Amino acid sequence: MMKKIFITRELAGNAETFLSQKGFKVNVFQKDRAIKKSELLKEAADADALITLLTDKIDRKIIDSLPKCKIIANCAVGYNNIDVEYAKSKKIVVTNTPEILTDATADLTVALILACARRLGEGEKMMREGRFKSWKPQLLLGIELTGKTVGIIGAGRIGFAAAKRLKPFGTKIIYFDRNRREKFENELGAKKVTLNSLLKKADIISIHLPLSKETHHLLDKTNLKLMNRNAVLVNTSRGEIIDEKFLISLLQKKKIFAAGFDVYEGEPNINPDLIKLKNVFLLPHIGSATYEARSGMAMLCAKNVASVLSGKKPVTPV
Ligand code: DGY
């Protein structure tokens, strides 16, 4: 009997072909939208493996409906959409896609920082709306990176790759993390600081944390207001790490210079107040959206699935 793999949405690259050539039966959800829970319950019921996305909430009910499933391969580095402990208790392996998307996400972080610091969103909108009438000395003045302090919140792989890109702009790096990160200190001359001290000192703040109970609203009413008036804050990790409503109130009162969002609380719904603001730059969760990263992520999922279904160890277990 051919083993069945269910993929919750069409992926980039050649992962499906790879799996079919290995002799697996691959079913892909055919609609171009996130699969609904009721559809997932129906479609995945007899699957031996699932390839899921961050838009699929894999909770106890879903896990209980997968009697044959050996592996849930999440096509993302983050896995907050999966009840990992429960899956493990049911002897289901969970995997994610670390490393392959590090460069793509770090590139986008820098793009978001520059877009905020140099007001690229406002400039682009002005051009499209035909409002550029002449060069003028005070048109869309922004902030330079040279000489500024960059604060990295979450000093893992992506945080490091972002900091490494930002250092040559002539910035000083500080970081906040549970652990001491020697790579940050030895290669970038970075100093570990407390979260409050980072928020007070940094001109550019970038978040690179996984979402968990501990990091939910880590940036809240009490500490967000420590940021300085010229601070730029960007988030390419998960929206729920910031108390978004409170951040919006700071942006409305111009208490910081700007914020760049690739992720949102309650994604894909966007707080309408955010859209009204000029001092934000908004992206639709595209941190890892390069051909290289997305096809690599899909292939890594396929390799994890092929390994586990052949009785071998997963490549990148959670
Ligand atoms: C992830 O992998 O967790 C990103 O948010 C999407 O690639």
Side-chain angles (χ1 to χ4, degrees), residues 4 49-50 55 73 75 79 89 100 135 169 176 190 214 247 252 261:
K4 291 184 189 163
L50 237 65
T55 45
C75 197
Y79 46 83
S89 77
I100 195 90
W135 184 92
F169 279 90
F176 165 73
E214 290 73 42
L247 176 60
Q252 284 166 335
F261 296 72

Side-chain angles (χ1 to χ4, degrees), residues 2-132:
M2 276 173 111
K3 293 203 171 136
K4 291 184 189 163
I5 299 161
F6 181 66
I7 308 181
T8 60
R9 198 159 182 173
E10 200 176 323
L11 301 172
N14 303 320
E16 288 165 39
T17 317
F18 169 86
L19 288 167
S20 303
Q21 283 170 352
K22 292 254 173 216
F24 299 111
K25 180 158 172 24
V26 183
N27 282 325
V28 183
F29 183 63
Q30 286 303 324
K31 302 203 171 127
D32 188 21
R33 59 162 170 79
I35 193 167
K36 292 180 190 150
K37 192 168 182 173
S38 55
E39 292 167 328
L40 186 54
L41 284 167
K42 203 168 122 207
E43 304 256 7
D46 64 343
D48 297 281
L50 237 65
I51 298 185
T52 55
L53 306 176
L54 57 89
T55 45
D56 308 322
K57 193 164 168 43
I58 309 298
D59 56 15
R60 284 175 177 237
K61 189 166 179 200
I62 298 282
I63 293 167
D64 282 337
S65 74
L66 304 168
K68 289 167 67 191
C69 187
K70 297 273 171 300
I71 167 167
I72 300 170
N74 207 37
C75 197
V77 67
Y79 46 83
N80 53 288
N81 57 310
I82 302 178
D83 188 336
V84 177
E85 288 319 310
Y86 193 64
K88 284 187 180 171
S89 77
K90 297 280 165 183
K91 307 254 173 312
I92 300 176
V93 173
V94 179
T95 62
N96 68 341
T97 60
E99 290 183 17
I100 195 90
L101 46 60
T102 298
D103 288 329
T105 311
D107 286 353
L108 193 92
T109 301
V110 177
L112 207 45
I113 289 170
L114 287 169
C116 288
R118 298 302 301 273
R119 303 173 65 178
L120 302 190
E122 288 172 84
E124 223 256 351
K125 195 158 183 279
M126 176 181 284
M127 297 309 292
R128 285 184 188 270
E129 292 174 355
R131 288 185 286 111
F132 176 50

Side-chain angles (χ1 to χ4, degrees), residues 54 75-79 97 101 236-238 263 285 287-288 294 297:
L54 57 89
C75 197
V77 67
Y79 46 83
T97 60
L101 46 60
T236 53
S237 55
R238 287 293 181 267
V263 290
H285 203 152
S288 66
R294 288 285 165 85
M297 289 159 74

